[in-house]
Amino acid sequence: MGDLYRFGISLDRELIEAFDRHIAAQQYKSRSEAIRDLIREELLQKTRSEGGTVAGAIVMTYDHHKRELVNRLLDIQHDFHDIIISTQHVHLDHGNCLEVIAVKGNAPEVDRLSTALKVLVGVKHLSLSVSSAD
Ligand code: NI
């Protein structure tokens, strides 16, 4: 973190009371940390919408027995090799696999990879979580 900068904010009492209840429920220790997270989230959304660089993970489960699915998953990952940092594969049980794909790249490309995998028949669940890359 760089130098700390302090500033005051004027808010309606109802708004700050609702915010305080909300952040207390989330176990925030201070308003400052909660507001920092809100600002980071807002800036991340800006980065995503402007096609900037993000880092993240795709977490997916799929049916190991689905014909051609495993080959298709590998083909797609090779197509996106430039944004995939690593892939971890876990054999959950006899028929189900879990894969965690770490990615870093421009936001639309990361979204394209996520969507290309998500729509395949046999993929049971997929979630994409992204963070700022810097
Ligand atoms: Ni497996």
Side-chain angles (χ1 to χ4, degrees), residues 62 64 89-93 96-99:
Y62 61 87
H64 169 77
H89 183 101
V90 178
H91 310 302
L92 284 179
D93 55 37
N96 293 294
C97 301
L98 167 74
E99 220 155 274

Side-chain angles (χ1 to χ4, degrees), residues 64-81:
H64 169 77
H65 294 302
K66 213 74 182 169
R67 273 176 188 281
E68 291 300 311
L69 176 60
V70 175
N71 282 340
R72 196 71 198 100
L73 291 172
L74 286 174
D75 285 346
I76 291 170
Q77 290 188 44
H78 277 271
D79 289 344
F80 286 86
H81 69 90

